[in-house]
Amino acid sequence: MKKMLLSMVFVLLIFLTPQIAFSMHIMEGFLPLKWCFLWYGASLPFVVAGIFSINKKVKEDPKLKMLLGFAGAFAFVLSALKIPSVTGSCSHPTGVGLGAILFGPLTMSVLGLIVLLFQALLLAHGGITTLGANTFSMAIVGPIASYYIFKGIKKAGGKNWLAVFLAASIGDLLTYVTTSFQLALAFPAEVGGFTASFLKFMGIFAVTQIPLAISEGILTVIVINMLTVYSKDELIELKVLEKEGKSL
Amino acid sequence: MKNRGFLLKNVILGIIVVVLMVFPLIAVRNAEFAGADDKATEAISQVDKNYKPWFHPIWEPPSGEIESLLFALQAALGAGFIGYYIGFVKGKKNVNR
């Protein structure tokens, strides 16, 4: 019985392998043309504003360049880690929450785009036609959510670590809710329309993402913990920490 | 002493992350752990049977090995810079002290 199952899995693997385009982003060619254009158009203003915002920040304080590279590197690492989830499939965190907390969401629209471009061109992960849509979910919606959740919790007097954790994990989760939303818009079900499709894609992307989102939240707390010890001045300058802020 | 508390906290957080990653492997042992995108591809073909991807990746890693090489490279580049940064700020802090 076990042998049979194993050989079945094996056959299935052979059958599937050539077309596996691992990606938790929308796969190349899997959005109808009209939606490709629409999401490219929606993302463009954020990316352009992001370039200006980065230029301004770096000009004001060239010291921040290193920390900016750090935020990009963090997104690079996290989005390369495909992690198993309780649904029996794999996905990866986004890693953009950290940068959004540090530099604001516009900056991350550029850094996120760079990560996505790397993966689309070299890894056949995501795609060029779907780059606009994926940028919108991972580099725009996610970071915006992270940023405002962080600010909101801090303003409400919440603990720093809690604000960081919720910002990063909810931002991560919302990225994949957005992906589901984009796919459901493009592929409404015959029965049940948009809602039925949305729930279906949510079941695939968002549920898989829950434990990963928690992991990303924790990892981001660890990194901010570390930065609080070693890069305190920068964090105060970026208004992530109060002047008298102690470690989380 | 403050530093030790900080280290301990981070180690505990790190362990939680590892547990979160390993738990699915034990809990759902006979799953195939394919990418969530493959499931999405399936779902799309269920919703719209006639949909064919109209564009294919310009370049695809020729094999799973090459693909994992590139993913490892991506992680290594990022991790390399993170390590460099931590060393840099730590060294700077020690000098200033």
Side-chain angles (χ1 to χ4, degrees):
Chain A
M1 188 61 206
K2 210 170 173 186
K3 226 175 179 174
M4 210 177 96
L5 201 78
L6 224 89
S7 52
M8 255 172 69
V9 169
F10 191 59
V11 170
L12 208 73
L13 268 179
I14 294 178
F15 180 68
L16 284 175
T17 305
Q19 60 194 50
I20 284 183
F22 275 115
S23 94
M24 292 71 224
H25 313 301
I26 301 176
M27 303 68 71
E28 184 76 285
F30 267 93
L31 268 190
L33 192 60
K34 144 182 117 171
W35 293 105
C36 295
F37 278 118
L38 189 130
W39 292 115
Y40 258 106
S43 297
L44 191 68
F46 290 93
V47 174
V48 173
I51 293 172
F52 281 109
S53 144
I54 289 180
N55 272 337
K56 199 176 140 228
K57 283 204 173 94
V58 171
K59 220 176 214 164
E60 271 169 16
D61 184 2
K63 267 203 326 249
L64 290 179
K65 246 186 246 174
M66 280 286 280
L67 194 58
L68 194 69
F70 182 86
F74 186 73
F76 232 62
V77 175
L78 255 64
S79 59
L81 300 178
K82 282 175 288 194
I83 297 170
S85 176
V86 281
T87 51
S89 55
C90 279
S91 186
H92 60 74
T94 63
V96 292
L98 173 75
I101 292 169
L102 294 177
F103 292 101
L106 286 177
T107 301
M108 287 326 278
S109 63
V110 180
L111 294 187
L113 173 69
I114 293 170
V115 174
L116 286 166
L117 200 62
F118 178 90
Q119 294 191 328
L121 289 178
L122 289 180
L123 298 164
H125 179 85
I128 294 301
T129 57
T130 53
L131 186 64
N134 291 330
T135 301
F136 196 81
S137 62
M138 181 177 129
I140 294 169
V141 173
I144 287 179
S146 293
Y147 179 77
Y148 285 106
I149 290 167
F150 179 75
K151 292 283 168 201
I153 293 177
K154 290 280 286 185
K155 210 172 181 184
K159 282 251 168 45
N160 220 342
W161 70 265
L162 186 71
V164 170
F165 173 76
L166 290 178
S169 47
I170 296 176
D172 177 316
L173 205 58
L174 282 181
T175 293
Y176 289 88
V177 172
T178 310
T179 304
S180 310
F181 176 79
Q182 290 167 328
L183 282 173
L185 272 181
F187 299 100
E190 265 168 52
V191 188
F194 168 79
T195 320
S197 276
F198 183 56
L199 291 177
K200 190 172 199 161
F201 290 119
M202 280 282 281
I204 294 167
F205 284 110
V207 177
T208 303
Q209 202 64 25
I210 291 173
L212 275 71
I214 297 172
S215 292
E216 172 160 1
I218 296 174
L219 287 172
T220 310
V221 170
I222 294 178
V223 167
I224 297 258
N225 258 337
M226 201 205 70
L227 291 176
T228 331
V229 174
Y230 296 119
S231 300
K232 203 168 185 179
D233 297 341
E234 281 92 336
L235 292 198
I236 291 172
E237 191 177 331
L238 290 165
K239 299 196 180 69
V240 174
L241 279 183
E242 301 78 21
K243 279 245 154 44
E244 295 305 311
K246 10 184 225 121
S247 89
L248 304 187
Chain B
M1 276 307 102
K2 196 188 135 207
N3 245 343
R4 250 182 79 191
F6 151 80
L7 199 68
L8 185 73
K9 223 183 317 184
N10 276 358
V11 168
I12 292 172
L13 288 173
I15 292 171
I16 298 175
V17 172
V18 172
V19 170
L20 272 173
M21 288 178 188
V22 174
F23 174 74
L25 293 176
I26 299 163
V28 267
R29 209 168 292 183
N30 35 20
E32 46 177 324
F33 291 109
D37 62 323
D38 290 334
K39 297 258 170 77
T41 312
E42 246 168 65
I44 289 174
S45 55
Q46 278 168 24
V47 171
D48 184 349
K49 285 187 188 62
N50 300 321
Y51 190 79
K52 290 265 177 311
W54 57 277
F55 195 84
H56 291 281
I58 307 167
W59 185 81
E60 246 178 297
S63 75
E65 277 69 26
I66 307 291
E67 185 179 297
S68 58
L69 165 73
L70 289 165
F71 267 107
L73 198 66
Q74 184 191 336
L77 283 173
F81 190 86
I82 290 177
Y84 172 75
Y85 182 86
I86 297 173
F88 179 78
V89 288
K90 200 171 172 181
K92 207 168 69 175
K93 204 180 161 179
N94 287 344
V95 168
N96 287 346
R97 198 175 278 162

